[in-house]
Amino acid sequence: MTTLPSKAGTKGVPRAARERQVLAAATEEFGRRGYEATTVAAVAARVGVTKPLLHQYFGSKQDLYLTCLDPVGDRLLNAVRTAMTEPAQDAPPTHLRVLDALFTALDGQREAWFVLYDATLPPDSEAARRAAYYRGAIDDLAASGTADLLHTAGSADPLDADALKYAWRGLCTALVRWWINHPDQSPEAMTRRCARLFAAARSIGSAEGDEA
């Protein structure tokens, strides 16, 4: 997980490197604090540049957020899309491939998940619309996967698929939040943990079904 010092030396730093420092700090600030509570001044202070310089490089707070959001959204969307392509015969099930892809994409910048899934974005803003685009694209992929899963289980109710899609998003968010609080856990360890949790859930469901 990337954690920048409160002041990073910037004298003599090339502009491209300084911009990378700013974006790393801003992504962490937006992810940890949310859009509403994040200030341009706080991001500038973390990197050791002035607020006017940050505005000169990135524009407004919303512009800075969008510059952070696009690579995060693209990375997560591509990770999910790739994980859902036709797997090899001995590949793990789709849900584990997707989780592994998400953990791998977020490794080193785990708070980035909450840049995309930020409940404090101003309504009807470009920031909210752009985040909604990425969330919608990821949800569409999730809907395809959950519909296939329910079909295999014998359910054709579209509301079941819709409910499971939202439950899946909530599960991913909860797992990432837990992961942030356990920085020693690698993406591979998280995927193995999820496999154990899903296996335990299936066992509990089977036991309850037998009792019924």
Side-chain angles (χ1 to χ4, degrees):
M1 183 165 26
T2 302
T3 302
L4 297 178
S6 58
K7 294 268 187 181
T10 58
K11 286 188 177 180
V13 176
R15 174 166 176 165
R18 184 174 294 160
E19 288 180 350
R20 288 194 295 270
Q21 291 176 341
V22 171
L23 290 177
T27 298
E28 190 169 329
E29 287 288 312
F30 284 125
R32 285 185 173 183
R33 305 180 186 280
Y35 183 91
E36 186 175 0
T38 296
T39 66
V40 171
V43 175
R46 286 195 59 180
V47 182
V49 300
T50 64
K51 182 178 174 181
L53 182 64
L54 196 149
H55 280 302
Q56 177 185 334
Y57 283 0
F58 295 99
S60 67
K61 173 179 166 179
Q62 177 171 258
D63 293 330
L64 177 61
Y65 169 82
L66 291 171
T67 306
C68 294
L69 172 68
D70 283 340
V72 170
D74 288 338
R75 189 162 74 245
L76 293 177
L77 180 57
N78 289 336
V80 174
R81 183 178 288 127
T82 300
M84 293 186 68
T85 57
E86 189 67 27
Q89 189 170 3
D90 58 347
T94 302
H95 58 280
L96 287 179
R97 296 200 312 275
V98 169
L99 286 172
D100 182 65
L102 289 176
F103 296 140
T104 300
L106 291 168
D107 194 30
Q109 202 175 47
R110 300 177 188 185
E111 293 87 356
W113 176 267
F114 296 100
V115 174
L116 179 56
Y117 292 94
D118 186 345
T120 72
L121 295 173
D124 299 322
S125 65
E126 179 59 24
R129 285 190 289 271
R130 190 87 62 86
Y133 160 75
Y134 284 114
R135 291 197 301 264
I138 292 172
D139 279 350
D140 287 345
L141 291 171
S144 173
T146 53
D148 289 344
L149 179 65
L150 289 170
H151 178 74
T152 301
S155 172
D157 188 335
L159 290 180
D160 283 355
D162 190 57
L164 185 55
K165 177 186 70 176
Y166 282 94
W168 175 254
R169 182 200 286 185
L171 175 64
C172 291
T173 298
L175 288 169
V176 172
R177 195 179 300 280
W178 186 90
W179 191 32
I180 289 171
N181 293 327
H182 295 79
D184 60 315
Q185 297 293 296
S186 68
E188 296 80 11
M190 285 297 296
T191 302
R192 291 193 298 269
R193 187 177 307 281
C194 290
R196 294 193 299 271
L197 294 175
F198 286 130
R202 285 195 297 272
S203 298
I204 293 171
S206 297
E208 289 179 348
D210 292 341
E211 290 175 2

